[in-house]
Amino acid sequence: MPEMTFEYTLKENGIDPKNDLNIDTSIAFASMSGAFIGGTGDFVTLFEPQALQVESQGLGFVVASIGKLGGVVPYTAYNAKKSYIEKNPEIIQRFVNAIQKGMDYVNTHTPEEIADVIQPQFAETDRESLVTIVTRYYEQDSWKEDLIFEEESFTLLLDILESAGE
């Protein structure tokens, strides 16, 4: 999904990813920041906290958010078999409620409060960096208020998939 969204965003901004530049997809995801720091490529797409680390070390700059430029599409999706959903509606509802509770939390708390709550899951990342990352997500409007998958977002997802030849 990140690659497809990246290429879709390039196309939407008048850049042909096949002819105007060379996108190297041979580098393992976990090695992308190291390859970039080592001199491979002029640009790299990274998730946090790698993007902040590269920037903090003075080895690059965050210039854009593919998530923001790509539009509202579901990046994380949860799937269950229809038979499981039919047999376990209460579990499915509790799961959806829990995810919504998390969405409500991030939409009603400060980056500092969120950083404090998520710190145990990111022990290798200091609090100040977490606050910076969460602030970026706020500024990019990364979190929806609800879990509803709107038709417009579904159409965009289909456009991205079709553009990628999927």
Side-chain angles (χ1 to χ4, degrees):
M1 192 66 200
E3 173 66 22
M4 291 186 288
T5 304
F6 176 58
E7 289 193 21
Y8 180 83
T9 301
L10 290 172
K11 290 175 189 175
E12 289 294 301
N13 286 281
I15 299 170
D16 180 347
K18 303 293 184 221
N19 297 310
D20 295 340
L21 55 128
N22 178 30
I23 299 175
D24 184 350
T25 58
S26 70
I27 301 168
F29 182 76
S31 302
M32 289 175 60
S33 62
F36 175 74
I37 291 167
T40 300
D42 297 316
F43 294 89
V44 64
T45 56
L46 299 172
F47 286 105
E48 298 291 1
Q50 288 78 24
L52 181 60
Q53 289 169 348
V54 168
E55 191 172 57
S56 296
Q57 294 168 1
L59 301 170
F61 300 95
V62 174
V63 296
S65 164
I66 300 303
K68 185 169 181 71
L69 294 172
V72 177
V73 291
Y75 190 79
T76 300
Y78 303 95
N79 299 283
K81 290 182 179 180
K82 184 177 180 181
S83 59
Y84 183 88
I85 295 169
E86 289 171 350
K87 289 178 186 174
N88 302 284
E90 68 290 339
I91 292 173
I92 295 298
Q93 188 61 59
R94 288 195 316 256
F95 180 80
V96 170
N97 292 349
I99 299 297
Q100 184 62 57
K101 186 176 179 181
M103 298 300 295
D104 293 344
Y105 187 88
V106 298
N107 283 304
T108 58
H109 288 79
T110 67
E112 293 80 10
E113 292 168 322
I114 295 169
D116 290 339
V117 169
I118 66 173
Q119 182 71 61
Q121 285 76 41
F122 298 94
E124 71 287 350
T125 305
D126 65 86
R127 182 181 183 277
E128 182 179 329
S129 293
L130 284 177
V131 170
T132 299
I133 292 164
V134 173
T135 300
R136 282 183 179 171
Y137 286 150
Y138 263 112
E139 291 170 352
Q140 296 166 177
D141 197 24
S142 293
W143 294 300
K144 288 185 72 202
E145 290 187 19
D146 58 51
L147 303 175
I148 298 170
F149 190 20
E150 304 290 344
E151 183 175 351
E152 180 180 322
S153 294
F154 182 68
T155 301
L156 176 57
L157 174 62
L158 293 177
D159 290 346
I160 291 170
L161 292 169
E162 185 176 305
S163 176
E166 297 295 328

